[in-house]
């Protein structure tokens, strides 16, 4: 497929890519392409900072860009046991975050698919749980709603009302025996999974990475 | 020692005579000796051979797999509304009113990641990736040793480019510029007879032709009957400062720009003596109304040369056309669009101003093989009834993009240096919020 090409041109890069491929599940071509993109975004340096991502014009239109950019710099998404946020990321961390958006492979067992789904849900959960206390509180939820709507149009009270209604819905699904005066702490990861149980994640949380390596294309003889 | 000097002087004299005979004279009088055509065909054959060598070495199955853009992902082309209908349908209806849940955010998360992986704008400000290799290391990122023969040819190419072509071109460029300054100043001294205009046009075109030879530019002009006429405005897509030399090779235009100091300033001041160009002082450029007024006056005078304007405002890498600024389309004259497309096989003409300074860029140009490009003159366009300047600008832009085979983008070229305007960001927010709140109000009881 072209893996041999890669190994011929840069043998030590190939070793590194193999390592990444094992960890993240991307193919070697995809890693090569993503590396080129990384260099484009990072202005040919070794790390990407938040500004590099904020400078992407198409991303600027996205109301949830702060959460998305934050996810790249969040240590929880690196599958190590650390928490906190970092200022700049290298290519490996970039790949780790991207790997959450891989579609499930055709040859995956049910268990692997379940595990992948849980991983994606965990990623989403981390994006909302900004203070990392294990729950999404009303305030954190409301913040997301506010970002999504433009403040001019509906005002802060309406955003609060929508957030409260949604939280109520979650509470009623997960803790049906709660009394009217009980305080609902926040959405835990289990509740989160419960809410999104029926939702088909496979087509929503996926980016279809292509396998084609654009730089090694050559013209054939004739057209 | 003496002999050496006299020999060197003799050599220099012969060199200059040859130059004048073979290059300058044709340039001055506008005919061609056919040398450049021979050069081109040899070049093309060599490049094809080099590419085949590389292919054989890497043992690829070669089929033409060219992609128009460097696509890394395959996107879903559904709009905000469609995705939301699907999302809403696929989850159970909530018992309590309120139609918003966390799953609504999925559309944006995925879109955000897709933008980070591959966006339309960032890739327009780096040089185009080539499918062939044109024996210049600067365009091949994976240069490595393949065979002795190939390296030999490449080495020969380096010698030819740097030791033969570059000095030749630098000499020509210097001659061209000097002649421009002298010639225009001389014409400026003449009183205002008819012959003055004719002479000034001739001097301008001649000097630009010499400069074009100085870059080994082979230009194919198409549809010459649509060439811009006096009292009009010529708009073109912008790839590098050389565009000016290219266009002025085939006609005389009035330039618009800021007065610089130094060598550029001398050239500018000389040019304005023989025919009216529109040069602004730095302070005047900030005053939009003043600029517009001067341009309007120039355009409405039908005896003055057509103005040359690049509405993108910045250099783009010649794979796409970015947003046209509406200022030039409000001036009232007829617009003559021109599409310029460089052939990347022979040299990369894009000026990445953040990477290279002007001098570095010119040196790069002079040490590439050649510059081959196509210029299409499009028929004149006028602003129609009920069309505002922005729509008119977009119409012209679409015409230029279609003719030149470039991608027509809505993005602003100024994004090279700045950020997206807040008004664009809020659009998506408004759309989404009207969907959620609109549903809410219909659902609440």
């Amino acid at each position: 497929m072209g893996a041999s090409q890669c190994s011929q041109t840069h043998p030590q890069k190939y070793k590194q890519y193999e390592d990444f491929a094992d960890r993240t599940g991307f193919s070697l071509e995809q890693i090569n392409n993503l590396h080129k993109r990384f260099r484009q975004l990072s202005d040919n340096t070794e790390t990407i900072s938040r500004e590099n991502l904020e400078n992407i014009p198409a991303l600027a239109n996205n109301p949830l860009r702060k959460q998305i950019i934050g996810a790249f710099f969040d240590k929880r998404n690196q599958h190590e046991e650390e928490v906190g946020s970092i200022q700049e990321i290298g290519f490996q961390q970039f790949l780790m975050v991207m790997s959450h958006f891989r579609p499930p492979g055709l040859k995956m067992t049910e268990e692997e698919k379940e595990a992948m789904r849980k991983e994606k849900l965990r990623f989403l959960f981390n994006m909302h749980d900004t203070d990392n206390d294990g729950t999404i509180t009303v305030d954190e939820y409301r913040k997301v709603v506010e970002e999504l709507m433009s403040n001019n149009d509906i005002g802060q009270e309406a955003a609060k009302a929508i957030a409260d209604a949604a939280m109520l819905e979650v509470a009623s699904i997960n803790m049906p025996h709660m009394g009217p005066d009980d305080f609902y702490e926040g959405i835990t990861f289990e509740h989160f999974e419960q809410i999104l149980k029926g939702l088909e994640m496979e087509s929503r949380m996926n980016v279809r990475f292509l396998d084609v390596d654009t730089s090694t294309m050559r013209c054939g003889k004739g057209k | 020692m003496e002999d050496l000097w006299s020999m060197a002087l003799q050599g220099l004299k012969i060199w200059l005579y040859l130059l004048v005979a073979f290059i300058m004279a044709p340039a001055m009088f506008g005919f061609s000796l056919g040398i450049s055509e021979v050069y081109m065909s040899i070049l093309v054959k060599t490049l094809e051979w080099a590419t085949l060598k590389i292919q054989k070495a890497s043992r690829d199955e070669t089929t033409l797999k060219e992609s128009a853009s460097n696509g890394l992902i395959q996107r879903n082309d559904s709009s905000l509304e469609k995705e939301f209908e699907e999302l809403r349908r696929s989850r159970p209806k909530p018992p309590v009113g309120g139609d918003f849940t966390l799953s609504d955010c999925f559309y944006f998360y995925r879109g955000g990641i897709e933008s980070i992986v591959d966006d339309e704008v960032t890739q327009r400000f780096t040089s185009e990736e080539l499918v062939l290799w044109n024996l210049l290391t600067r365009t091949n990122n994976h240069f490595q040793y393949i065979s002795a023969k190939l390296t030999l040819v490449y080495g020969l190419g380096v010698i030819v480019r740097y030791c033969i072509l570059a000095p030749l071109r630098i000499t020509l460029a210097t001659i061209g510029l000097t002649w421009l300054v002298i010639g225009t100043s001389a014409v400026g001294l003449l009183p205002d007879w008819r012959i003055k205009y004719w002479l000034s046009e001739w001097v301008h075109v001649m000097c630009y032709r010499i400069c074009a030879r100085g870059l080994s530019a082979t230009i194919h002009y198409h549809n010459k009957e649509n060439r811009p006429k006096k009292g009009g405005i010529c708009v073109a897509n912008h790839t590098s400062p050389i565009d000016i030399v290219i266009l002025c090779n085939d006609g005389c235009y009035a330039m618009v720009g800021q007065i610089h100091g130094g060598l550029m300033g001398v050239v500018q001041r000389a040019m304005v003596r023989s025919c009216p160009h529109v040069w602004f002082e730095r302070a005047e450029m900030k005053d939009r109304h003043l600029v517009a007024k001067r341009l309007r006056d120039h355009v409405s005078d039908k005896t003055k040369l057509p103005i040359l304007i690049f509405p993108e405002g910045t250099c783009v890498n010649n794979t796409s056309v970015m947003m046209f600024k509406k200022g030039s389309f409000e001036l009232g004259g007829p617009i003559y669009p021109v599409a310029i497309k460089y052939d990347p096989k022979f040299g990369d003409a894009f000026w990445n101003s953040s990477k290279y300074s002007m001098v570095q860029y010119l040196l790069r140009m002079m040490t590439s093989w050649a510059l081959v490009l196509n210029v299409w003159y499009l028929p004149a366009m006028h602003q129609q009834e009920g069309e505002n300047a922005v729509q008119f600008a977009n119409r012209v832009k679409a015409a230029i993009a279609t003719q030149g085979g470039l991608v027509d983008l809505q993005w602003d070229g100024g994004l090279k240096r700045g950020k997206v305007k807040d008004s664009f960001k809020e659009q998506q927010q408004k759309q989404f919020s009207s969907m959620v709140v609109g549903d809410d109000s219909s659902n609440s009881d």
Side-chain angles (χ1 to χ4, degrees):
Chain A
M1 224 189 351
S4 58
Q5 165 117 53
C6 198
S7 65
Q8 266 177 21
T9 53
H10 299 273
Q12 88 238 56
K13 237 203 214 170
Y14 175 67
K15 272 220 139 12
Q16 222 184 16
Y17 284 5
E18 256 191 342
D19 190 37
F20 290 158
D22 287 334
R23 282 209 221 174
T24 58
F26 281 122
S27 75
L28 289 169
E29 278 82 26
Q30 289 167 339
I31 296 185
N32 204 11
N33 284 340
L34 283 171
H35 199 169
K36 274 197 238 128
R37 177 64 180 172
F38 183 83
R39 300 231 93 172
Q40 235 181 16
L41 289 174
S42 74
D43 252 343
N44 259 326
T45 62
E46 294 296 318
T47 56
I48 289 188
S49 70
R50 281 170 205 260
E51 266 108 34
N52 293 122
L53 290 179
E54 277 166 16
N55 281 340
I56 302 176
L59 194 59
N61 280 343
N62 195 315
L64 294 176
R65 63 186 167 285
K66 263 210 290 260
Q67 273 84 356
I68 298 176
I69 295 180
F72 278 89
F73 295 90
D74 189 341
K75 281 198 198 158
R76 289 174 291 175
N77 291 328
Q78 298 297 327
H79 290 209
E80 296 153 12
E81 295 313 312
E82 302 179 11
V83 290
S85 69
I86 37 188
Q87 291 308 315
E88 300 196 331
I89 50 170
F91 181 52
Q92 185 176 339
Q93 285 120 335
F94 183 74
L95 269 187
M96 283 301 284
V97 175
M98 283 292 174
S99 67
H100 290 105
F101 282 84
R102 268 194 324 115
L106 296 164
K107 302 211 194 91
M108 278 187 147
T109 64
E110 275 310 310
E111 288 181 342
E112 287 174 338
K113 284 201 186 154
E114 238 338 278
M116 180 177 243
R117 188 191 156 87
K118 204 168 173 137
E119 218 180 82
K120 296 190 192 216
L121 282 172
R122 185 87 228 177
F123 182 79
L124 284 178
F125 188 79
N126 287 343
M127 258 208 266
H128 294 281
D129 182 18
T130 44
D131 61 2
N132 194 32
D133 60 355
T135 56
I136 303 180
T137 59
V138 172
D139 285 324
E140 286 166 344
Y141 200 93
R142 187 168 26 96
K143 249 201 294 223
V144 177
V145 177
E146 270 176 14
E147 300 266 342
L148 274 174
M149 324 282 181
S150 60
N151 291 336
N152 323 338
D153 259 341
I154 59 170
Q156 291 213 343
E157 291 80 34
K160 189 167 183 339
I162 294 179
D164 286 341
M167 289 291 279
L168 209 55
E169 176 201 338
V170 175
S172 64
I173 293 180
N174 286 305
M175 300 174 59
H177 307 297
M178 224 172 67
D181 288 330
D182 285 344
F183 181 61
Y184 183 52
E185 293 284 332
I187 310 178
T188 61
F189 185 55
E190 287 75 29
H191 294 173
F192 189 75
E193 273 182 301
Q194 186 67 18
I195 308 168
L196 296 175
K197 197 150 72 134
L199 189 66
E200 188 232 326
M201 296 264 293
E202 276 63 36
S203 58
R204 316 246 174 257
M205 269 282 282
N206 294 329
V207 174
R208 300 209 279 277
F209 292 94
L210 291 180
D211 252 341
V212 174
D213 186 355
T214 48
S215 71
T216 55
M217 287 180 183
R218 304 276 183 239
C219 264
K221 314 196 188 171
K223 297 236 157 114
Chain B
M1 217 32 209
E2 291 282 313
D3 290 342
L4 217 58
W5 267 123
S6 55
M7 265 178 61
L9 275 174
Q10 272 291 72
L12 200 60
K13 260 202 246 167
I14 300 182
W15 166 253
L16 279 175
Y17 288 151
L18 278 177
L19 251 178
V20 173
F22 283 117
I23 301 188
M24 280 187 59
M28 282 162 58
F29 299 102
F31 62 87
S32 160
L33 283 175
I35 303 180
S36 42
E37 275 89 21
V38 175
Y39 171 63
M40 281 301 159
S41 46
I42 298 179
L43 199 57
V44 170
K45 287 220 180 61
T46 325
L47 292 182
E48 279 180 0
W49 174 84
T51 317
L52 285 178
K53 271 303 238 204
I54 301 181
Q55 282 176 345
K56 264 197 274 191
S58 43
R59 271 178 250 124
D60 259 291
E61 253 99 57
T62 53
T63 43
L64 186 55
K65 279 191 289 181
E66 214 176 286
S67 62
S69 68
N70 303 342
L72 284 166
I73 50 180
Q74 195 183 352
R75 284 178 196 246
N76 244 347
D77 268 331
S78 52
S79 66
L80 185 57
E81 283 90 11
K82 256 205 287 182
E83 287 257 352
F84 267 94
E85 278 194 35
E86 282 189 35
L87 263 175
R88 295 262 159 95
R89 251 185 286 133
S90 66
R91 68 175 171 81
K93 200 73 184 98
V96 178
D99 235 1
F100 172 78
T101 67
L102 283 173
S103 51
D104 289 345
C105 309
F106 280 18
Y107 171 76
F108 293 110
Y109 290 139
R110 191 179 72 196
I113 297 284
E114 278 177 350
S115 310
I116 292 183
V117 175
D118 191 11
D119 84 294
E120 284 183 323
V121 177
T122 318
Q123 55 170 294
R124 306 290 166 194
F125 292 121
T126 50
S127 298
E128 202 183 339
E129 270 195 48
L130 284 185
V131 180
L132 280 181
W133 184 39
N134 59 0
L135 284 178
L136 299 168
T137 25
R138 55 186 81 140
T139 46
N140 185 344
N141 298 328
H142 295 284
F143 176 68
Q144 15 87 248
Y145 180 81
I146 293 189
S147 81
K149 246 202 240 172
L150 194 62
T151 320
L152 187 63
V153 174
Y154 172 69
L156 219 75
V158 171
I159 297 178
V160 168
R161 279 189 293 127
Y162 280 83
C163 302
I164 302 181
L165 291 179
L168 169 67
R169 290 178 185 163
I170 298 178
T171 332
L172 279 175
T174 336
I175 296 180
L177 277 178
T178 332
W179 187 223
L180 181 67
V181 174
I182 298 178
T184 46
S185 309
V187 173
L189 290 173
L190 291 175
D192 251 346
W193 297 333
R194 278 279 298 276
I195 198 170
K196 181 181 182 183
Y197 294 122
W198 186 83
L199 265 180
S200 123
E201 273 195 41
W202 187 62
V203 167
H204 269 109
V205 173
M206 177 173 66
C207 299
Y208 281 118
R209 282 217 192 99
I210 299 181
C211 288
R213 302 287 169 116
L215 292 165
S216 293
T218 311
I219 314 171
H220 303 290
Y221 294 100
H222 306 268
N223 307 335
K224 278 202 187 174
E225 65 274 5
N226 291 326
R227 221 189 296 182
K229 305 192 179 41
K230 295 205 173 134
I233 306 172
C234 175
V235 299
N237 57 320
H238 201 28
T239 305
S240 89
I242 296 182
D243 291 343
I244 304 177
V245 174
I246 305 288
L247 284 178
C248 287
N249 231 2
D250 194 42
C252 219
Y253 297 95
M255 318 239 179
V256 180
Q258 207 183 330
I259 287 226
H260 296 280
L263 182 61
M264 279 285 297
V266 172
V267 176
Q268 284 176 326
R269 273 177 256 271
M271 279 168 62
V272 89
R273 279 196 205 111
S274 62
C275 75
H277 298 280
V278 189
W279 300 125
F280 292 101
E281 302 288 335
R282 193 180 202 103
E284 287 175 333
M285 289 287 285
K286 305 262 164 94
D287 185 353
R288 276 231 205 121
H289 293 293
L290 183 65
V291 170
K293 181 168 181 319
R294 269 185 74 176
L295 288 174
R296 219 174 277 138
D297 290 339
H298 187 115
V299 168
S300 45
D301 184 351
K302 295 297 175 192
T303 61
K304 293 204 176 144
L305 298 165
I307 323 181
L308 181 57
I309 292 192
F310 295 105
E312 279 166 311
T314 186
C315 294
V316 186
N317 77 347
N318 207 233
T319 56
S320 64
V321 186
M322 295 218 151
M323 186 169 99
F324 275 6
K325 303 209 188 320
K326 63 176 164 70
S328 17
F329 297 90
E330 289 171 332
L331 298 171
I335 303 269
Y336 297 93
V338 178
I340 305 177
K341 177 80 175 123
Y342 288 83
D343 193 342
K345 275 207 294 261
F346 297 100
D348 173 29
F350 169 54
W351 182 33
N352 192 343
S353 52
S354 45
K355 228 173 158 193
Y356 304 109
S357 70
M358 176 66 119
V359 180
Q360 276 176 322
Y361 170 69
L362 285 175
L363 277 176
R364 266 168 68 96
M365 282 296 104
M366 295 199 181
T367 53
S368 30
W369 288 114
L371 222 55
V372 178
L373 55 137
N374 290 298
V375 176
W376 287 275
Y377 292 108
L378 298 167
M381 291 174 130
H382 298 84
Q383 192 167 3
Q384 284 166 350
E385 289 298 321
E387 201 183 30
N388 66 8
V390 176
Q391 292 164 330
F392 183 31
N394 285 337
R395 197 160 56 91
V396 175
K397 178 159 69 84
I400 293 185
T402 330
Q403 181 61 268
L406 306 163
V407 177
D408 185 0
L409 290 183
Q410 296 305 322
W411 295 100
D412 184 352
L415 288 173
K416 199 196 227 170
R417 298 194 185 90
K419 296 207 188 226
V420 182
K421 282 205 274 215
D422 282 329
S423 46
F424 292 138
K425 281 189 226 180
E426 285 170 1
Q427 255 180 11
Q428 270 225 327
Q429 283 180 321
K430 286 202 168 76
Q431 204 186 9
F432 181 68
S433 64
S434 61
M435 280 184 60
V436 173
V437 175
D439 279 344
D440 244 15
S441 53
S442 65
N443 263 343
S444 59
D445 0 77

